[in-house]
Amino acid sequence: MTGPFLMLLGMLMFALNDAMGKWLVASYGLGQVILIRSLAALVILVPMVWMAGLSNLLSVDRPVMQFARVAFSTAEVFCFYYAVMYLPLADVMTYWLAAPIYVAAASPFLLGEKVGWRRWTAIAVGFIGVIITLEPSSAMFTMPAIISIVGSAAFAFMLISGRFLRGTPDSTLVFFQVAGAGLAGLVFAPVDWSPIASSRDLVLLGLLGIVAMAAHMLVNRALKISDAATVAPLQYTLLLWAVVFGWIFFGDVPRFGMLIGAALIIASGLFIFIREQMLKKRETVLPSIPE
């Protein structure tokens, strides 16, 4: 049970990080929050990268793809913190949980993977869930809603680019990801920098990066000691924590449309994941079996 426990704890840590981020971007500039968050994360990452060897940073495979991944990850984090400034935490998390559905939809075109009618049906259901969450009206064309969709799409493309970089160590990928966000934060921080009001806020700003790194470590460890089929579906508990923290800290009451849309997105994502696991098992026995 160690793997599932670590995955559940990692999702809780991610939710805490997101709740703190929503709290802080209400008082401080977006670039400022991301810059301090990245610097705090680098405090943990630099010793890890140093022990792993600087050669992993100096000689990386597919540098163009590395740059693309950093660009997508940087856009994703800026979009996320912008979105939580204006939308309930659970709503934003629902859009981000749809990223695996985008990956499945794009994989035939970008990765050359075969997707059968079952998964295309699940993808369609997932997109319907996104539309229901948006609640088709004039509100769906507001900037926060558009930014949420763009951010979740950037997250999906970050996941896709990561599939091309499987040979790169995790510590190297995360280092470039954090460094890219930090550089972007450094550029935008002077635009809307606000004096830090208290030592409590300074601690929270630093904890953003530290808690996020701890969550990444917990999730990575869970995936190493347990089968993905056992622990990966537990990522959807992130939405439960988002609802709980949104209600406790911000007074956000989940909308009925958001709950229905989230249910469809989760069901779609779980089906796609389970189907992919089934096909992988079949291919190990009968490599030529059709989908």
Side-chain angles (χ1 to χ4, degrees), residues 153-258:
F155 181 53
F157 281 110
M158 185 191 81
L159 296 176
I160 292 174
S161 60
R163 293 194 181 186
F164 289 98
L165 302 170
R166 290 173 179 168
T168 303
D170 291 340
S171 59
T172 301
L173 290 175
V174 176
F175 178 84
F176 285 139
Q177 180 177 333
V178 172
L183 288 174
L186 183 63
V187 172
F188 292 103
V191 176
D192 52 1
W193 185 277
S194 299
I196 299 177
S198 64
S199 57
R200 180 201 65 181
D201 287 358
L202 180 61
V203 170
L204 290 176
L205 284 165
L207 281 176
L208 272 181
I210 296 173
V211 171
M213 287 301 99
H216 278 295
M217 293 177 187
L218 289 167
V219 171
N220 288 339
R221 185 61 180 167
L223 290 170
K224 288 180 179 179
I225 66 177
S226 296
D227 292 336
T230 302
V231 297
L234 297 177
Q235 67 180 314
Y236 292 105
T237 59
L238 188 62
L239 182 58
L240 172 63
W241 289 118
V243 171
V244 172
F245 291 153
W247 177 61
I248 292 176
F249 297 123
F250 308 106
D252 296 331
V253 179
R255 298 176 293 107
F256 180 73
M258 187 281 292

Side-chain angles (χ1 to χ4, degrees), residues 264-277:
L264 291 175
I265 290 171
I266 291 174
S268 173
L270 285 174
F271 179 87
I272 291 170
F273 176 78
I274 293 171
R275 182 64 180 167
E276 289 176 348
Q277 294 299 310

